Amino acid sequence: MLTSLALIFIAGLAMAALCRCLRLPGIIGMLATGIILGPFCLDLFDPSILMISAELRRMALIIILIKAGLSLKLSDLKKVGRPAILMSFLPACFEIAALLLLGPRFLGLSLMESAIVGAVLGAVSPAVVVPRMAQLMETRYGTEKRIPQLIMAGASCDDIFVIVLFTTFIGMEQGESATLRNFLDIPVSIVLGILLGGLVGWALAIFFERRYVHGNRIRNSLKVILILGFSFLLMAAEDAVKEWVAVSGLLAVVSMAMVLSMKCTPAVSRRLSEKFGKLWLAAEVILFVLVGAAVDIRYTMEAGLSAVLVILLALVLRSVGVLFCLIGTNLNKKERLYCVLSYLPKATVQAAIGSVPLALGLDCGNMVLSVAVLSILITAPLGAIAMDLSYKKLLTHDEAPAGKPERLPK
């Protein structure tokens, strides 16, 4: 396992640096490292690390969600309002509708099988989007109109909506009936996740404050460890209670971090955000290299050009859905275009659920996995490149508040 971890870090960072020299996002090099060194190509990773790959990816995602939550402000989210709610489900609905239209014609699937493919494709990748939105907030691009907050909030809820639909469609394909509870799980999961995370964040903030008042000040490094520990518990709670009630662990983590940011002093909140930013440097490599390792490149040949066409057409309709969400906002054409570009990348959810229909023995399993693999290979680099190259041209650079020096990007 140690050799595999060494390969992940050294080869992943080297490939990322090479891509940056070519003016490409580092994520492309990390994904390529995972694909090349993974079990479906050179097979250089130890099986033991592949067995815990899903958990390692979740841990990495938790780190960036904590950093994002520490950067978010409740007042900003209140001002974002309706568009953020629409962004959490409407673009995915447009993409699923596109697959219902295109799947039977181009992929030879039934309507229900097409719905399953649409649910797999419908989720935007928080691992690609969230760190870029956090960077925009730090460097103050688009923050006056709260564009990064809008995109981050929508992307965080988008996955919950899609995964619930995916589970429902899988059950219907296996002969189960869709119940009212299946669809109630979506708002219940969101609300309970926010409440649970907020409660934990509030308790942690009080604990930190009391220790400070009584002279037993907790170092920020120890606070990071405690926050990580409770974040892991929140994610574990989602799995522990899912048979009785739906709770979103990811939203609970973001909510916990937001409450901590509000309750702690600005200096402490800023310091915690910086420390989680440093942790993300390592977590990012693990996340994207292991996502690449989960991609079975062989399935891209089975899908063919028709699957590529379907993915691209579905992205077009998804983009229309994003524009619908922004009707009535004060965003100009360039800012709306950036929102469209930020909703293109797919990676983590597709890598996690793309193989489920095949594992369940469904007839559409091979096609679902093939389309999922292609969507990662096409949209993750496309979305990352589009966001990285366009934000300075499409978004306004806002001045730092008076009395506070502006942080420059590293």
Side-chain angles (χ1 to χ4, degrees):
M1 183 181 289
L2 291 178
T3 303
S4 297
L5 285 172
L7 285 172
I8 288 172
F9 284 119
I10 296 172
L13 287 173
M15 288 288 285
L18 176 61
C19 285
R20 291 189 184 103
C21 288
L22 299 173
R23 298 184 179 274
L24 297 173
I27 176 183
I28 298 176
M30 296 175 199
L31 286 170
T33 300
I35 293 171
I36 294 168
L37 301 183
F40 306 111
C41 197
L42 296 182
D43 195 18
L44 296 182
F45 290 147
D46 192 294
S48 58
I49 202 166
L50 295 175
M51 289 177 62
I52 60 171
S53 172
E55 297 303 320
L56 289 174
R57 296 200 304 266
R58 290 179 82 189
M59 290 169 63
L61 191 56
I62 285 170
I63 290 171
I64 189 55
L65 288 174
I66 294 173
K67 176 172 169 51
L70 290 170
S71 303
L72 280 172
K73 295 180 180 179
L74 185 60
S75 58
D76 287 338
L77 291 180
K78 287 180 179 178
K79 291 176 181 177
V80 168
R82 176 188 60 84
I85 296 173
L86 293 177
M87 290 277 277
S88 67
F89 70 93
L90 198 57
C93 287
F94 271 71
E95 193 157 12
I96 293 171
L99 263 296
L100 288 174
L101 293 172
L102 301 171
R105 181 177 181 84
F106 291 96
L107 302 179
L109 300 174
S110 67
L111 281 177
M112 186 52 62
E113 290 171 342
S114 298
I116 292 172
V117 176
V120 171
L121 293 184
V124 69
S125 173
V128 180
V129 173
V130 170
R132 282 167 172 78
M133 296 307 108
Q135 181 68 10
L136 290 182
M137 286 189 283
E138 288 183 2
T139 54
R140 303 193 62 79
Y141 275 93
T143 50
E144 184 176 341
K145 294 184 180 179
R146 297 168 181 81
I147 295 169
Q149 293 89 332
L150 163 66
I151 296 169
M152 189 183 293
S156 299
C157 297
D158 169 270
D159 293 350
I160 301 165
F161 175 72
V162 167
I163 290 172
V164 170
L165 285 185
F166 173 76
T167 305
T168 303
F169 294 153
I170 286 287
M172 293 172 68
E173 180 66 11
Q174 291 179 311
E176 300 176 9
S177 58
T179 64
L180 180 61
R181 180 181 173 180
N182 295 140
F183 297 99
L184 285 178
D185 279 348
I186 297 171
V188 169
S189 175
I190 292 172
V191 172
L192 289 183
I194 293 172
L195 291 177
L196 178 60
L199 180 63
V200 172
W202 176 77
L204 276 175
I206 290 178
F207 175 69
F208 294 156
E209 182 181 354
R210 286 184 177 177
R211 291 292 296 248
Y212 182 82
V213 169
H214 292 292
N216 298 318
R217 183 179 178 183
I218 301 176
R219 294 179 59 185
N220 286 327
S221 298
L222 292 178
K223 290 177 183 175
V224 167
I225 295 172
L226 284 172
I227 292 169
L228 275 176
F230 278 98
S231 298
F232 295 158
L233 282 177
L234 288 172
M235 293 295 292
E238 176 182 355
D239 296 329
V241 302
K242 64 182 179 182
E243 293 186 7
W244 300 283
V245 65
V247 179
S248 169
L250 292 179
L251 270 186
V253 170
V254 176
S255 175
M256 177 195 69
M258 284 182 61
V259 172
L260 272 171
S261 178
M262 289 189 295
K263 298 288 288 184
C264 294
T265 63
V268 171
S269 178
R270 183 171 61 252
R271 187 67 178 145
L272 289 174
S273 181
E274 289 173 356
K275 285 186 174 290
F276 277 103
K278 293 174 182 177
L279 281 177
W280 172 242
L281 294 176
E284 180 184 33
V285 183
I286 293 175
L287 175 61
F288 288 113
V289 171
L290 291 179
V291 166
V295 171
D296 190 344
I297 200 73
R298 297 171 299 179
Y299 283 103
T300 60
M301 302 301 295
E302 294 186 16
L305 292 177
S306 59
V308 175
L309 179 63
V310 167
I311 291 170
L312 295 177
L313 290 175
L315 284 179
V316 172
L317 204 55
R318 178 187 186 85
S319 300
V320 173
V322 173
L323 294 175
F324 262 91
C325 297
L326 301 177
I327 292 175
T329 65
N330 63 344
L331 303 188
N332 59 40
K333 291 181 180 179
K334 290 183 177 181
E335 291 163 341
R336 291 171 192 248
L337 175 59
Y338 187 82
C339 292
V340 168
L341 297 177
S342 68
Y343 255 55
L344 295 181
K346 307 166 191 301
T348 40
V349 175
Q350 288 70 29
I353 67 176
S355 61
V356 171
L358 183 62
L360 294 174
L362 299 183
D363 293 338
C364 62
N366 275 331
M367 181 57 71
V368 173
L369 182 55
S370 301
V371 175
V373 169
L374 272 176
S375 71
I376 295 172
L377 295 176
I378 294 172
T379 65
L382 177 64
I385 292 171
M387 284 188 284
D388 289 350
L389 296 183
S390 68
Y391 74 95
K392 290 184 179 180
K393 298 177 181 177
L394 300 181
L395 301 180
T396 303
H397 185 233
D398 308 316
E399 294 183 3
K404 294 184 179 180
E406 181 185 348
R407 288 189 61 192
L408 296 176
K410 297 180 180 179

